[in-house]
Amino acid sequence: MTSVDAEDQSAVPVDFDQNGQYTFDLLEETDCFDSMYFVFYENGVVETRQARLYFNASTGGFSCQTTGDYNATYSVSGNILTVNFTVSGSQYTETRTISRYSENGIEFLKVTLTREETNAAVYVTKDPGNTVASELRKIEMVYIKTE
């Protein structure tokens, strides 16, 4: 997971762990997303474990909150991924533009979140604007296909 490709003009390096070292790779800054996964089955079911960041407006720092394991349904039409899921009895549908590609025989799926999508999908509460992540404009997530 990156704050976007370094060649992208909107790319912003971050220092989530506040150790003075900035990077574009969010996975180097926090272990919050280490247990996060998606398993897309051919029958249209997706299993996932989610995690989100909670930013403290007073300190500018963050803490990780694992939000749980979920099952949902999905479909792919062209480069649009649609996921239907239920939270606390309410039905939701999320769509994302994806790209699929392969390198050296390994298949990848990439999802790019805009600033608005990042705020909604990654943060537990809206970023207060003075945190270690406030300058992020988009996030790219790359998933590897495994057998």
Side-chain angles (χ1 to χ4, degrees):
M1 183 179 307
T2 69
S3 63
V4 299
D5 188 328
E7 285 88 44
D8 188 324
Q9 293 300 318
S10 65
V12 177
V14 295
D15 183 19
F16 277 14
D17 57 11
Q18 298 178 315
N19 67 356
Q21 298 178 5
Y22 289 79
T23 180
F24 293 99
D25 188 344
L26 301 183
L27 299 179
E28 289 181 18
E29 293 294 316
T30 177
D31 60 3
C32 182
F33 304 111
D34 288 358
S35 65
M36 204 167 123
Y37 67 87
F38 289 87
V39 178
F40 292 92
Y41 294 99
E42 289 185 24
N43 66 356
V45 172
V46 59
E47 294 177 357
T48 181
R49 174 171 295 145
Q50 295 291 298
R52 291 182 177 206
L53 301 175
Y54 174 77
F55 289 91
N56 185 314
S58 300
T59 66
F62 73 95
S63 61
C64 180
Q65 294 188 0
T66 301
T67 62
D69 296 330
Y70 303 97
N71 289 320
T73 60
Y74 79 95
S75 62
V76 176
S77 178
N79 65 342
I80 302 297
L81 170 67
T82 302
V83 179
N84 300 296
F85 58 98
T86 303
V87 176
S88 300
S90 296
Q91 296 279 28
Y92 297 91
T93 298
E94 294 282 339
T95 59
R96 298 286 184 264
T97 302
I98 60 171
S99 60
R100 293 177 281 184
Y101 62 96
S102 61
E103 290 179 5
N104 301 320
I106 300 171
E107 293 182 57
F108 297 90
L109 177 135
K110 180 169 75 171
V111 178
T112 302
L113 300 179
T114 65
R115 181 178 182 94
E116 293 77 21
E117 291 169 333
T118 298
N119 283 337
V122 178
Y123 307 126
V124 174
T125 59
K126 186 177 180 191
D127 177 26
N130 64 340
T131 71
V132 294
S134 294
E135 297 302 316
L136 288 179
R137 298 292 174 254
K138 64 182 175 179
I139 293 177
E140 289 182 349
M141 298 178 292
V142 177
Y143 300 95
I144 300 171
K145 181 177 180 180
T146 59
E147 300 301 322

